[in-house]
Amino acid sequence: MASLRAAARLRPIATRLSQSSVQPQRFYASAAAAVKSSPSTGGEQPFFPDEPAGPVIKTAIPGPESKKAVAELDKVFDTRSLNMLADYQKSFGNYIADPDGNVLLDVYAQIASIPVGYSNPTLHKAALSEQMASALINRPALGNFPSNDWASILKTGILKVAPKGLDQVFTAMAGSDANETAYKAAFMWRRQHERGGAHVEFSEEDIVSSMLNQAPGAPQLSILSFKTAFHGRLFGSLSTTRSKPIHKLDIPAFDWPQATFPLLKYPLEENTEENKRVEAEALADVERLIETHHLPPCAVVVEPIQSEGGDNHASPAFFQGLRTLTKKHNVLFIVDEVQTGVGATGKFWAHEHWNLDSPPDMVTFSKKAQTAGYYFGNPELRPNKPYRQFNTWMGDPARAILFRAIIEEIERLDLVSHTARVGDYLYNGIAELAKKYPGEFNNLRGKGQGTFIAFDSPRRDEFLKKAKSVGVNIGGSGANAVRLRPMLIFQKHHTDILLEAMEKIVKS
Amino acid sequence: MASLRAAARLRPIATRLSQSSVQPQRFYASAAAAVKSSPSTGGEQPFFPDEPAGPVIKTAIPGPESKKAVAELDKVFDTRSLNMLADYQKSFGNYIADPDGNVLLDVYAQIASIPVGYSNPTLHKAALSEQMASALINRPALGNFPSNDWASILKTGILKVAPKGLDQVFTAMAGSDANETAYKAAFMWRRQHERGGAHVEFSEEDIVSSMLNQAPGAPQLSILSFKTAFHGRLFGSLSTTRSKPIHKLDIPAFDWPQATFPLLKYPLEENTEENKRVEAEALADVERLIETHHLPPCAVVVEPIQSEGGDNHASPAFFQGLRTLTKKHNVLFIVDEVQTGVGATGKFWAHEHWNLDSPPDMVTFSKKAQTAGYYFGNPELRPNKPYRQFNTWMGDPARAILFRAIIEEIERLDLVSHTARVGDYLYNGIAELAKKYPGEFNNLRGKGQGTFIAFDSPRRDEFLKKAKSVGVNIGGSGANAVRLRPMLIFQKHHTDILLEAMEKIVKS
C-alpha cells in the first residue's frame, strides 16, 4: 500500500510542469533533454526518472506567494535568516520547489543534510511503515525503556556503517549534542584515569564540589579545538566553535584552547613544501597547547574538512600527525563528521581518506544521517556508572529507522563510489571554469573528496544570490567560500546544469 | 486508509490476552471488569475501550526473552540504566508491554513524556499522514528553508497552546537545548541592554574577545538556578542543574549561582507559617545573589515543581515573588516547563496555577510536547541580528506535527480538566493509604496539581522494584520520592488499580 501511494506521489512535479498553463522558463534545454535521452548524459542512467528535467524559474525569488507566507510566518517565528521558503511536497530528488512554482537545483541541500534527495521513494516507504509510526508515537526514554527492536535497528542501521574499529554508539539528536556528549565522555574518561581506574570511587571532595560547579568535581580541564572550527552552538560545543563572531558574541564560554589550523595554499601541487611547513607548525601548536594550557585538554576535536569555517582542508599526513600526537599525550582524538560524514567526500566517513594506523577515539555524526551521536570502540569510554551519560530521549528511534533506510538507498545505488566519480567530474569542470574566468573561482579545493568542493569567489554573496535567478540553490561558508554540498544522488547531468549556471553567474 | 489500518492495529492486545493458551495472571479482577461495565468505574467511560483490562504478569521482570535481548543490546549500547525492555507495538493506552508478554500499568510514562497513551489512534493517524511523511523525509534547515506550511503547523499546534502573553516561539529538539537556547537569548538580551539597544553595533573588543572565549565578547554573566533543580545535562544546562552528583561529576561547569529552593514541610496546612518563612528566605537568597554574585545573573530559571530533584513544590506566592524580584532587578524570568507542561498538573502549563500579573519572559517545553523550544513575547528577545540564534535543524517539523495531533487529542477528550479531576481522586486515595499505613507514604504532595503527585517512601528503591511484580511501572525522583507521572488519559479505574497495587507493595 505504502509503495503504491509512494508511486502516486512521485508524479505530481513532472505532470504539473508539463500541464502548467504558463510555460515555465527552462534554462537548461540540453540538460532537460538529458534526463530522457541517456546518450546526452554520456550514457548515464538517471536515478530518478521522474525528477524534474531542469530548474524552472517562474518569478523572482521570493515570489509573491512566498513573500506573503514569509510575512505571515515572521509574526511568530524569526525569518531574518530565511533563505527561501520551500514546498517540500513538490520538491523531488535534487530539486527544491517553492510556493511560487520555482524549482531549483539544490546543491546546498539543507546545509548539507539531505542525503538521497527530496521525497525519496525508499524513505517515503520507510516513513509510512508501521515500525516508523510506532517509533514516532511511542517515543521511548531510550536509556530506561528501549524497544525490543532497538538492537536490531542499531545493527542494521547506525552500526552497520560504523567507522572501522568503532563498534559502539551513544545516540543523540543533532550535531551539537552529539559533540557535547562526546566531550562529556572524554572528561569522564580523563578523570577516571586520574583517579586510577573505573573501580575507584569518587572522593567526597569530588562529590561536594561537583554540586557547587567547582573543581575538582567540575574539573579544570578542556577540549582543544582549532581556529575557524565549527562544532555546534550550545554552550560546550560553542566553546570549541571558532567560526565567526556572530556565532559566539554575548554567549559565555569556557576558556578552552584553540590551535592553529593549517591554512593551505592552492593549487596544492605548487605549494607542497610551504603547506608541509604550515601543517607541521599547526601540529607543533597543538602539542604546545596540550603541554602548557592552564586547562589541560583531555581531547582534541577536529573536522576532516572545516566546513562552516570556509571549507579548509588539511592533508592526511596532518591528521595522521594528530593521531600520533594525541596518542603520545594520552589525549582523546574526536573526529567531528557531522558535515563530512555519510558519503559526500567519496568515502562513507571522510576520515577514511587518512588511512590511520588506529581509529579515532570517537567519531560524531548527524546531518545526512538524520539522527546523531558518537561512535566509539574503547570500553573505557562507557562511563564507570550508569546514569552518568544519560538524558530522557537519548536520540530518536524514528530518525534511526530513517537512517537505516538512507543506508539501504546508498547501498542500492552505490552512492558513495558514485559520489567519488561525479565529484571528480564536478571538480574538473570547475577547474576548467577557473582557467576560463581567472579570478572568479579561486583556491578551488576538494579534489578527490567527492562532491565536497569549494572555491573562493571575489563577490561571494552576490554569486549566491544570482545563483537563484539562474535556477540553482548554493550555499556559502566562511567569509568568501562558495561551498558545494550536493546530495549523494547528484549526477553528471546535474553537474552540467550546475557548471552552466555558474558560468552564467560569472559572465553576467 | 490510515484510520482503517489504525483500527486494525488496535486490536492485538485484547485479542492476544483473551486467546492466550496460558491463562495470564490478572491481578485486578475488579478493575479488569470495570473497563467493560461502567458501573464499577462509577459510570466513567473508558477513553479507549480496547485498552487492556488490567496488568498481566507472566514472568519475573526481566523475563527470559527480555534477558536475552538485553544481553544482545548491551554489546553495542550501554544498558546499565535499563529499567525494562518494551514492546511498543503491543503497548496500548496506559499499558506498556514487554517481550515476555508482561503488560504493566505505566505511571512513569517514559519519564513523564508520553501524553495521550501508547499507540494512540489519533497520533497513529497523524504519523501515517502524507504531511508527516514529507516532514520526516524532507527535513528542512528551518531557519533557512522553512516549508510553506510551517506557519500553519506552528499556529495550529505549538502556538495554539502558547502560554498567555507569549506569542512567539523558538523551536528546539529536547529539554536541554530548549533551555540552552533560552539562556542564549537571555545573554544576548542583557548585553544588548548594556550596549544601549539593538541598534548599537558590537565593539571591536566584543568581536575580537568573543573569538577568544574571553570577556567582554564572551561575557562574565550567569543564569541563576536553584538547589536541587534540574534543567538538562549539556554544558550550559548542566551548569544550572543541581539535582545529583551523578549528573554532574567530572563535567566542567560555569561558576553560576544557585539559590536556596524552599523545602516545604508537609502537611502544608499544618506548617503555614514555617513554610512562609522558608519561602521568604529563599526569595531573599535570590535577591542577594542577583545583587552580589560575581557573575551577574541575567535570568532566573525555575521549574514550577522541581521534578528530578525530588518533586519539590513551592506556593504561588513564592513564584509571584520571583516574578516581582526579577522585574525589580531587570533580570529575565525563565520557567522550565519541560516536565510540568502539557496538562499533567491540571492546567496546560503549571505556571497558570500562579496567577501572575505579567507572564514569565520565557517558558521552555519538551517531553509530552514531543518537540521542544521556548515561548516568549517580548520582541527584544529576538536577537538584534539574524544567525545569532540559529542551528541547522532548529527543531523538527515532524515532531511539531505530532504535538499538533497531541493537542487535538487533549482537546477532544478534554484531558486537562480530566487530569485535574482524576488527580484529586488519586491524591485523596493516597492520603487514605497514608493514614492506613503510617510512615509508608510520607510528605504526600501535589494536591490540586493534577496527577503530578509524589510522596517519600522509607524504602523507595524497593518500592519501585516491587511495583513491577504487582503490575505497575513507577518512577522515582530525588533520594526518596516516588513520583507519579501518569499520562493524561489516566482514569479513575486506572487509579483504583494503582492504589490497590501500592497497598500491596507496602503490605508485602
Side-chain angles (χ1 to χ4, degrees), chain A residues 72 74-75 88 145 382, chain B residues 74 88 145 155 168 382:
Chain A
E72 201 51 34
D74 190 68
K75 290 178 190 163
Y88 292 108
F145 304 94
R382 276 195 190 184
Chain B
D74 190 67
Y88 292 107
F145 304 94
K155 284 180 197 169
Q168 311 266 312
R382 277 194 190 184

Side-chain angles (χ1 to χ4, degrees), chain A residues 91-419:
Chain A
S91 301
F92 189 68
N94 291 276
Y95 290 87
I96 186 169
D98 83 358
D100 293 282
N102 300 299
V103 178
L104 305 190
L105 178 67
D106 189 1
V107 296
Y108 194 22
Q110 308 300 325
I111 318 180
S113 71
I114 297 287
V116 291
Y118 294 114
S119 306
N120 177 289
T122 301
L123 303 198
H124 186 259
K125 195 177 157 193
L128 289 175
S129 68
E130 279 300 331
Q131 191 180 29
M132 179 67 87
S134 180
L136 275 171
I137 68 179
N138 300 321
R139 186 172 191 174
L142 266 177
N144 280 165
F145 304 94
S147 64
N148 56 337
D149 57 359
W150 182 231
S152 139
I153 291 169
L154 287 174
K155 285 181 199 169
T156 58
I158 293 176
L159 286 169
K160 190 177 181 188
V161 294
K164 207 179 142 192
L166 309 183
D167 61 354
Q168 310 266 312
V169 69
F170 184 83
T171 47
M173 311 268 295
S176 281
D177 62 315
N179 282 332
E180 296 211 1
T181 48
Y183 298 171
K184 286 180 70 172
F187 287 116
M188 291 189 266
W189 170 88
R190 165 72 171 241
R191 290 288 294 136
Q192 183 165 305
H193 268 249
E194 289 177 354
R195 269 188 205 100
H199 61 286
V200 183
E201 287 299 321
F202 306 116
S203 70
E204 189 58 26
E205 195 190 1
D206 282 340
I207 290 170
V208 171
S209 59
S210 76
M211 295 300 286
L212 301 171
N213 291 7
Q214 301 291 334
Q220 297 284 320
L221 295 170
S222 66
I223 304 289
L224 185 150
S225 62
F226 288 89
K227 283 173 192 163
T228 52
F230 185 93
H231 301 291
R233 302 185 59 164
L234 299 175
F235 287 83
S237 47
L238 189 61
S239 291
T240 57
T241 284
R242 311 281 184 161
S243 42
K244 289 179 179 176
I246 201 76
H247 297 158
K248 291 177 68 72
L249 273 157
D250 296 350
I251 313 301
F254 292 107
D255 184 17
W256 293 350
Q258 58 176 336
T260 305
F261 192 80
L263 283 182
L264 303 187
K265 281 202 180 153
Y266 292 86
L268 295 178
E269 49 285 9
E270 291 171 23
N271 296 280
T272 323
E273 285 312 305
E274 166 75 356
N275 288 338
K276 225 183 219 174
R277 191 183 56 76
V278 164
E279 290 194 337
E281 282 171 7
L283 285 174
D285 197 34
V286 171
E287 185 154 36
R288 180 185 62 79
L289 287 166
I290 290 176
E291 288 174 336
T292 64
H293 196 268
H294 71 105
L295 302 175
C298 62
V300 171
V301 63
V302 72
E303 299 155 274
I305 300 163
Q306 287 193 335
S307 305
E308 298 305 313
D311 274 52
N312 308 316
H313 294 246
S315 74
F318 172 75
F319 293 104
Q320 289 158 8
L322 267 186
R323 175 68 287 189
T324 304
L325 253 187
T326 47
K327 277 220 180 248
K328 174 180 166 194
H329 291 280
N330 204 23
V331 159
L332 298 173
F333 184 40
I334 304 174
V335 178
D336 175 345
E337 292 248 26
V338 169
Q339 189 153 166
T340 51
V342 192
T345 69
K347 303 270 187 191
F348 201 95
W349 302 106
H351 74 268
E352 293 170 39
H353 288 285
W354 307 338
N355 294 312
L356 295 179
D357 284 337
S358 63
D361 295 292
M362 291 184 264
V363 172
T364 63
F365 63 98
S366 185
K367 287 204 186 254
K368 284 192 183 64
Q370 295 287 303
T371 178
Y374 62 87
Y375 293 106
F376 64 104
N378 183 350
E380 282 185 2
L381 288 171
R382 276 195 190 184
N384 66 342
K385 289 177 191 289
Y387 287 104
R388 300 192 69 192
Q389 188 76 289
F390 186 87
N391 58 68
T392 298
W393 285 327
M394 296 204 342
D396 183 346
R399 293 287 174 186
I401 290 168
L402 198 70
F403 188 26
R404 183 175 63 185
I406 290 164
I407 293 164
E408 277 167 23
E409 189 70 346
I410 289 174
E411 289 176 348
R412 182 178 76 85
L413 299 172
D414 194 19
L415 291 177
V416 179
S417 48
H418 162 77
T419 298

Side-chain angles (χ1 to χ4, degrees), chain B residues 224-453:
Chain B
L224 185 149
S225 62
F226 289 91
K227 284 174 189 160
T228 51
F230 184 93
H231 301 290
R233 301 186 60 163
L234 299 174
F235 287 84
S237 46
L238 189 60
S239 291
T240 57
T241 284
R242 311 280 184 160
S243 42
K244 290 180 177 174
I246 202 74
H247 297 159
K248 291 175 69 71
L249 273 156
D250 296 349
I251 312 303
F254 293 108
D255 185 18
W256 293 350
Q258 58 175 336
T260 304
F261 192 80
L263 283 182
L264 302 187
K265 281 201 179 154
Y266 292 85
L268 294 178
E269 48 285 9
E270 292 169 23
N271 296 281
T272 324
E273 285 313 304
E274 166 74 358
N275 288 339
K276 226 183 218 169
R277 190 182 57 74
V278 165
E279 290 194 339
E281 282 171 8
L283 286 173
D285 197 34
V286 171
E287 185 155 35
R288 179 185 64 79
L289 288 165
I290 290 176
E291 287 175 338
T292 64
H293 196 268
H294 70 105
L295 302 174
C298 62
V300 171
V301 62
V302 71
E303 299 154 275
I305 301 163
Q306 287 192 334
S307 303
E308 298 305 313
D311 274 53
N312 308 315
H313 295 247
S315 74
F318 173 74
F319 293 104
Q320 288 157 10
L322 267 185
R323 174 68 289 189
T324 304
L325 254 185
T326 47
K327 277 220 180 249
K328 175 180 164 193
H329 291 281
N330 205 22
V331 158
L332 297 173
F333 183 39
I334 304 175
V335 178
D336 175 345
E337 292 250 24
V338 169
Q339 188 154 166
T340 52
V342 191
T345 70
K347 303 271 188 193
F348 200 95
W349 302 107
H351 74 268
E352 293 170 39
H353 288 286
W354 306 339
N355 295 311
L356 295 178
D357 284 338
S358 65
D361 295 292
M362 291 183 265
V363 172
T364 63
F365 63 98
S366 184
K367 287 204 186 253
K368 284 193 184 64
Q370 297 287 303
T371 179
Y374 62 87
Y375 294 106
F376 63 105
N378 183 349
E380 282 185 3
L381 288 171
R382 277 194 190 184
N384 67 341
K385 288 178 192 288
Y387 287 104
R388 301 193 67 192
Q389 186 78 288
F390 187 87
N391 58 69
T392 298
W393 285 327
M394 297 207 337
D396 183 347
R399 294 288 174 186
I401 290 169
L402 198 70
F403 188 26
R404 183 175 64 185
I406 290 164
I407 294 164
E408 277 166 23
E409 190 70 347
I410 289 173
E411 290 176 346
R412 181 178 76 85
L413 299 171
D414 194 18
L415 291 177
V416 179
S417 48
H418 162 78
T419 298
R421 283 191 303 274
V422 83
D424 287 346
Y425 182 72
L426 173 60
Y427 184 93
N428 292 335
I430 305 174
E432 288 299 314
L433 286 176
K435 268 188 224 155
K436 197 167 163 191
Y437 300 95
E440 296 293 339
F441 299 87
N442 301 322
N443 302 319
L444 177 62
R445 46 208 189 266
K447 189 175 185 172
Q449 300 286 317
T451 55
F452 214 98
I453 292 168

